Amino acid sequence: MKQEKMTKFNKIFPWYSGLSNDLLFWVAIDTLFLTVVKKF
C-alpha cells in the first residue's frame, strides 16, 4: 500500500512542481515587465 502511494506521488510530483514553478516565474517576469516597461 505504501509503495503504491510513493509510486503515484513520484509520477505526479514533477508535473505539479514544474507547473507551480512556471507560474511563479511568470508572475515575477510579468510584474517586472509591467513596472519597468509599462510604468504601471
Side-chain angles (χ1 to χ4, degrees):
M1 185 70 175
K2 201 167 203 167
Q3 184 66 28
E4 292 173 12
K5 286 185 180 181
M6 266 323 262
T7 304
K8 188 174 183 178
F9 175 79
N10 286 339
K11 287 181 182 177
I12 293 174
F13 181 74
W15 285 96
Y16 172 75
S17 177
L19 290 174
S20 61
N21 289 339
D22 186 46
L23 287 175
L24 288 173
F25 177 75
W26 183 81
V27 168
I29 295 300
D30 194 45
T31 303
L32 284 172
F33 173 76
L34 289 176
T35 55
V36 173
V37 177
K38 297 288 185 177
K39 306 238 188 281
F40 278 164

